[in-house]
Amino acid sequence: AVVEHASEKYVFRELDTVRLARRAEPVRVFELVGRSGELDAPRLERLTKFAVALGAYQSRRFKEARQLFMALNEDTATRRYVARAAKYEASAPPETWDGVYDGVNVA
């Protein structure tokens, strides 16, 4: 809800979708990146590339996602997705996998 109300003034990066303990519905997790109009072009390009990589991951294109995240290699979130994508590349999740990370910790 915060992202919806503030997205005109601020830039956010979607980090993950998680299923927390004691909550039935998954929750999308965002990072506040900065004020709209104040981010430089290289930062905006990296945010776009992260979103593309996340889309590949969520669409089960794990090899592509891993390669895209590896090219970014800028922070903990990208390194986390490199590891997750490599894991799913080696052993695909079940067909019922919905891209949601289950657990209290977003690791």
Side-chain angles (χ1 to χ4, degrees), residues 26-85:
V27 177
R28 291 172 63 200
V29 178
F30 293 85
E31 169 189 31
L32 173 62
V33 178
R35 291 182 183 270
S36 294
E38 293 183 4
L39 299 177
D40 62 14
R43 180 66 177 145
L44 290 172
E45 183 178 344
R46 288 192 308 275
L47 291 172
T48 299
K49 288 180 179 181
F50 185 93
V52 169
L54 183 59
Y57 175 85
Q58 291 170 334
S59 297
R60 302 177 64 100
R61 298 189 321 268
F62 300 116
K63 181 177 182 178
E64 176 186 352
R66 182 180 52 79
Q67 292 170 341
L68 292 168
F69 282 120
M70 283 175 56
L72 285 169
N73 194 28
E74 67 178 28
D75 61 11
T76 301
T78 58
R79 290 186 289 277
R80 201 169 276 158
Y81 275 110
V82 167
R84 284 190 201 173

